[in-house]
Amino acid sequence: MISSSEYGSNSWELLVTVDHQYEEEQKEFILRVSGDLHIGGVMLKLVEQIKISQDWSDYALWWEQKKCWLLKTHWTLDKCGVQADAKLLFTTQHKMLRLRLPNMKTVRLKVSFSSVVFKAVSDICKILNIRRSEELSLLKQSEDTLKKKKKKDKNTKEPVIEDILNLCNSPVISGSPASPGLYSKTMTPIYDPVSGTPASSTITWFSDSPLTEQNCSVLAFSHSTCSPETLAEMYQPRTLADKAKLNAGWLDSSRSLMEQGILEDDQLLLRFKYYTFFDLNPKYDAVRINQIYEQARWAILLEEIDCTEEEMLIFAALQYHISKLSLSSETQDFTCESEVDEVEAALSNLEVTLEGGKASNILEDITDIPKLADNLRLVRPKKLSLKAFKQYWFVFKDTSVSYFKNKESGQGEPIEKLNLKGCEVVPDVNVAGKKFGIKLLIPVADGMNEVYLRCDNENQYARWMAACILASKGKTMADSSYHPEVHKILSFLKMKNWTVSPQAVSDPESMDMKPECFVSLRYTKKYRSKQLAARILEAHQNVAQMSLVEAKLRFIQTWQSLPEFGLSYYIVRFKGSKKDDLLGVSYNRLIRIDAATGDPITTWRFSNMKQWNVNWEIRQVAIEFDQNVSIAFTCLSADCKIIHEYIGGYIFLSTRSKDQNETLDEDLFHKLTGGQE
């Protein structure tokens, strides 16, 4: 017999609640354990006590007070720090989750609640046939957006039944090997590059994907157009501070869903978080291209990104064209080889990368850097003065632009030399009004210098604009991406330059068009329906010959050319400042923005960054740049970990190359984004 004192000193009672899949009520079990018992042993004891024969392989222990999983089954209770007061839950690691995709469709699928979010998103993307999962993440809707929806729900008498696509038949088990062809360079094309439809029998590209061809077309095609009523019910940011709220809910990629308070059957948004769309290929990426297009479309319609009226009409014309082609069965019925070749040739020119075109095979003579020289007009806006453009002789060489009084004095000392490396380049164009302007915001010690250049025509504008864009990235006109950039700018200008065709306006198709579906609410209030339809059809003439995939890629490119593209805003307080500012995080830079006026104050490039870290005690992000420049700020609109992860994430994505065969260094991602909290 063992005395009660000895018995008590070696072992103790542990309360474990079992979350049984097939029973509504949870059952509690008391196990007698000792501190040297490992987690695997606890689970074995528990299963023996439950006495129900079933597959327990997906179950694990969740420690409720500490909000953590006990997944290291060889660790002892002592090593984990589990004592008699611990409440453990024995529950499944994979649970149902509702995901709202960029195209506003909701899918319901089984997701790992015990894997870190980075891994969970990778598994979700395998189910949905989306390559490059590192560009996406999960977003919790902000309370403001939900409040607006709840208000609207109270006003509606009949409940709206949401159409949910159920993909729960085959859960993706974390760590299961992907099919051998998944990341192979010689993988079989799985989508038709013209229409984006799945090529027959290749839908099983992902070995564990429960997608049927029908489900795949829901994800790869743009099906529905939205009414002004639907738009009015959705949250629309009015100010930059409102836009900052949209980015507050990103989940931490280094922690699991369960650790972040996500419950079974909760709804999250799956969104492209990082705006660097790498290696877009219509043969494999029909779902990915469509979802990027949809995210761009909703950003335009909800005015999450600003654009001019001219640009809004181009977006509307492309949407109208895409919706027509998506509904037409003809695009899905025929593809002849020559047509595919033509489209592939067009798409190779249209490849969507933020850095510009592909590297040229022709070796550039780097000793002979091209230069531009021409008469342009310049103005430096000053407070309380009218803008007056004055003509000078401009010379663009390397990454600098100099201007002189006239061509004759071009060999002497310039009036001023502007170094454009790290500057912001903003188009100021109205094709109809023959206005071709370039706005330059050049970083100086105490902020930004604002300079406006005015060109005479489209060709001059395209050459100078492309040179400015490359110079801002530290590249010269000798770079292989210069000529594709000029070509891209000219093609955008061509799209904006349309003439009224009476035939197009009186076209019978315009009778069926609902123009309100293709523009933001601002324009439905400004113009009558017939006026909008006529203007959209005018713009449509320039895109009417495009294939479905080409039109989507053109929409994405036009979105990428907007000045605000790729900026995620946060409200911050800089160290030493007495007022709040906005911080814009982009793929290659940080921008400090005046919260009252929306004007950029300073820009810092990631390429000049030495190191960045977080002081977790005071939740302050500190960044050091070259030339002894350092900044520090606290984030007011979100957790500082979100900004830290954004910066590290963009730096991680910049390390990708096509030679990597699409394998990802997950450890490097966590090293760059984790912040060692």
Side-chain angles (χ1 to χ4, degrees):
M1 292 289 288
I2 301 170
S3 69
S4 60
S5 61
E6 278 180 48
Y7 187 80
S9 63
N10 292 330
S11 66
W12 35 274
E13 289 184 340
L14 179 66
L15 179 71
V16 182
T17 307
V18 176
D19 183 12
H20 203 287
Q21 254 179 314
Y22 307 107
E23 292 179 21
E24 284 185 20
E25 286 185 22
Q26 295 179 335
K27 288 187 179 176
E28 290 185 348
F29 291 85
I30 293 172
L31 305 178
R32 182 151 290 277
V33 296
S34 57
D36 58 0
L37 181 64
H38 53 75
I39 299 296
V42 173
M43 293 197 290
L44 190 64
K45 266 193 170 192
L46 182 61
V47 169
E48 284 170 358
Q49 203 168 316
I50 295 170
K51 293 177 183 169
I52 294 175
S53 177
Q54 71 165 69
D55 181 4
W56 296 99
S57 61
D58 192 38
Y59 277 71
L61 289 168
W62 167 256
W63 188 354
E64 289 189 19
Q65 295 105 314
K66 297 268 183 177
K67 294 269 180 269
C68 69
W69 288 92
L70 302 176
L71 297 174
K72 293 187 169 124
T73 51
H74 59 285
W75 279 26
T76 63
L77 291 172
D78 281 346
K79 190 171 182 180
C80 293
V82 175
Q83 295 176 340
D85 61 345
K87 287 182 181 174
L88 301 185
L89 177 68
F90 192 50
T91 185
T92 51
Q93 295 175 64
H94 288 80
K95 300 178 188 294
M96 297 309 295
L97 190 67
R98 286 176 300 130
L99 288 179
R100 199 141 199 234
L101 305 181
N103 66 348
M104 299 298 174
K105 294 266 185 238
T106 303
V107 296
R108 195 165 175 270
L109 69 176
K110 260 196 176 170
V111 176
S112 171
F113 273 57
S114 61
S115 301
V116 294
V117 164
F118 186 83
K119 181 76 182 75
V121 169
S122 171
D123 292 342
I124 289 163
C125 287
K126 280 177 187 166
I127 297 176
L128 300 177
N129 254 357
I130 297 174
R131 291 193 312 148
R132 302 288 179 188
S133 64
E134 67 275 12
E135 294 167 359
L136 298 95
S137 194
L138 298 174
L139 183 67
K140 218 175 178 177
Q141 269 185 300
S142 71
E143 286 177 16
D144 291 294
T145 62
L146 292 170
K147 273 180 201 165
K148 178 152 188 180
K149 280 191 176 175
K150 279 175 189 168
K151 260 188 204 172
K152 296 285 174 189
D153 290 345
K154 281 179 189 173
N155 300 338
T156 51
K157 292 174 185 175
E158 292 180 21
V160 179
I161 298 162
E162 195 175 13
D163 181 24
I164 294 179
L165 180 64
N166 241 324
L167 300 177
C168 52
N169 304 335
S170 96
V172 166
I173 303 302
S174 185
S176 66
S179 58
L182 175 55
Y183 291 134
S184 151
K185 276 191 178 285
T186 56
M187 59 190 172
T188 317
I190 63 159
Y191 296 107
D192 186 295
V194 180
S195 64
T197 51
S200 55
S201 80
T202 56
I203 196 62
T204 53
W205 179 46
F206 288 110
S207 57
D208 39 21
S209 174
L211 281 178
T212 60
E213 289 204 18
Q214 183 188 353
N215 287 347
C216 183
S217 76
V218 170
L219 303 179
F221 281 97
S222 180
H223 288 273
S224 59
T225 49
C226 65
S227 63
E229 293 76 34
T230 314
L231 270 181
E233 286 175 23
M234 298 173 82
Y235 179 74
Q236 293 181 51
R238 299 288 173 215
T239 62
L240 286 174
D242 287 345
K243 289 179 185 181
K245 289 173 188 170
L246 297 172
N247 296 300
W250 289 110
L251 295 189
D252 185 338
S253 296
S254 304
R255 293 163 66 216
S256 70
L257 291 170
M258 198 97 153
E259 286 170 312
Q260 297 180 70
I262 307 300
L263 305 173
E264 181 157 22
D265 226 31
D266 273 0
Q267 178 164 294
L268 294 173
L269 310 180
L270 179 71
R271 292 288 182 270
F272 288 88
K273 177 179 180 179
Y274 299 102
Y275 295 91
T276 49
F277 310 125
F278 189 70
D279 186 27
L280 272 185
N281 190 326
K283 284 184 180 177
Y284 317 113
D285 288 329
V287 175
R288 182 173 166 222
I289 288 169
N290 188 57
Q291 295 298 330
I292 294 172
Y293 158 70
E294 286 285 350
Q295 186 161 325
R297 185 171 84 89
W298 284 102
I300 301 288
L301 291 176
L302 295 172
E303 296 192 11
E304 289 172 11
I305 183 167
D306 291 338
C307 67
T308 63
E309 187 170 315
E310 207 172 40
E311 287 159 343
M312 180 63 79
L313 289 167
I314 289 171
F315 286 124
L318 284 164
Q319 283 178 75
Y320 171 59
H321 186 62
I322 289 163
S323 68
K324 261 176 56 178
L325 290 182
S326 299
L327 290 169
S328 155
S329 57
E330 293 169 8
T331 53
Q332 297 161 35
D333 289 343
F334 64 86
T335 50
C336 65
E337 283 304 311
S338 63
E339 217 170 62
V340 173
D341 291 342
E342 278 174 32
V343 170
E344 282 186 350
L347 290 170
S348 68
N349 295 332
L350 264 175
E351 189 172 51
V352 183
T353 56
L354 286 155
E355 291 297 330
K358 295 178 182 176
S360 169
N361 296 329
I362 303 159
L363 284 170
E364 302 280 358
D365 181 4
I366 54 169
T367 57
D368 180 30
I369 293 171
K371 71 174 186 178
L372 288 174
D374 219 334
N375 281 313
L376 301 178
R377 282 163 294 154
L378 170 131
V379 70
R380 282 181 168 282
K382 290 174 186 165
K383 286 177 186 175
L384 305 173
S385 73
L386 293 169
K387 288 184 187 178
F389 282 92
K390 196 173 175 186
Q391 186 164 295
Y392 294 98
W393 178 254
F394 279 80
V395 176
F396 202 125
K397 185 138 193 208
D398 294 330
T399 57
S400 301
V401 62
S402 308
Y403 62 94
F404 306 82
K405 192 174 180 183
N406 50 41
K407 187 176 180 178
E408 289 66 39
S409 56
Q411 300 305 317
E413 277 294 305
I415 297 169
E416 190 177 11
K417 186 176 181 181
L418 308 168
N419 183 6
L420 302 191
K421 200 172 176 183
C423 78
E424 296 294 310
V425 185
V426 183
D428 182 23
V429 173
N430 183 329
V431 178
K434 300 290 179 197
K435 175 186 171 189
F436 303 102
I438 302 169
K439 180 180 172 185
L440 300 172
L441 297 162
I442 301 162
V444 288
D446 57 345
M448 304 281 262
N449 269 344
E450 201 171 325
V451 176
Y452 283 86
L453 303 182
R454 186 67 66 83
C455 301
D456 293 328
N457 55 54
E458 295 178 16
N459 289 323
Q460 189 186 51
Y461 169 79
R463 293 197 309 273
W464 283 81
M465 184 68 176
C468 291
I469 289 168
L470 263 65
S472 73
K473 298 172 186 172
K475 295 178 180 180
T476 69
M477 286 177 281
D479 192 87
S480 59
S481 61
Y482 174 67
H483 291 294
E485 188 68 41
V486 173
H487 179 73
K488 191 169 87 172
I489 293 164
L490 282 170
S491 68
F492 287 150
L493 293 177
K494 189 185 170 191
M495 279 170 64
K496 290 181 179 183
N497 188 15
W498 61 79
T499 53
V500 182
S501 158
Q503 183 197 343
V505 179
S506 61
D507 197 312
E509 287 177 12
S510 63
M511 308 301 286
D512 304 329
M513 190 208 281
K514 293 176 182 168
E516 301 83 4
C517 301
F518 305 119
V519 294
S520 64
L521 285 174
R522 180 193 309 221
Y523 295 99
T524 54
K525 289 172 184 170
K526 186 175 177 181
Y527 294 107
R528 292 201 309 277
S529 184
K530 274 187 178 178
Q531 287 176 306
L532 267 178
R535 297 193 70 187
I536 291 169
L537 284 167
E538 286 163 25
H540 180 249
Q541 292 172 77
N542 285 332
V543 299
Q545 302 308 312
M546 289 183 185
S547 72
L548 182 58
V549 177
E550 197 183 345
K552 285 180 185 174
L553 286 173
R554 182 56 66 89
F555 191 100
I556 293 166
Q557 270 199 329
T558 311
W559 173 50
Q560 285 180 316
S561 72
L562 297 176
E564 251 192 304
F565 168 76
L567 279 175
S568 303
Y569 297 101
Y570 292 93
I571 300 169
V572 298
R573 173 73 63 88
F574 277 87
K575 190 178 178 181
S577 174
K578 291 182 180 175
K579 66 184 184 73
D580 300 345
D581 283 310
L582 279 154
L583 186 74
V585 184
S586 179
Y587 76 100
N588 62 355
R589 68 203 188 285
L590 297 173
I591 308 173
R592 183 177 181 177
I593 299 164
D594 188 302
T597 63
D599 294 334
I601 300 168
T602 322
T603 296
W604 301 280
R605 296 255 154 191
F606 291 158
S607 55
N608 299 331
M609 193 157 65
K610 281 183 174 173
Q611 65 169 27
W612 74 102
N613 54 61
V614 179
N615 180 333
W616 294 108
E617 284 179 23
I618 56 172
R619 316 299 283 180
Q620 186 181 71
V621 181
I623 308 172
E624 275 182 46
F625 296 93
D626 293 341
Q627 297 171 336
N628 298 322
V629 175
S630 59
I631 59 169
F633 56 83
T634 50
C635 187
L636 308 177
S637 62
D639 191 294
C640 64
K641 171 68 169 72
I642 293 178
I643 291 190
H644 182 276
E645 187 176 306
Y646 241 128
I647 296 168
Y650 271 128
I651 287 166
F652 170 74
L653 294 184
S654 70
T655 65
R656 294 181 298 180
S657 73
K658 289 186 183 179
D659 301 331
Q660 285 176 321
N661 207 17
E662 298 193 26
T663 50
L664 279 178
D665 187 345
E666 198 176 326
D667 291 339
L668 178 64
F669 175 84
H670 293 302
K671 196 174 175 183
L672 288 169
T673 60
Q676 290 79 48
E677 191 171 353

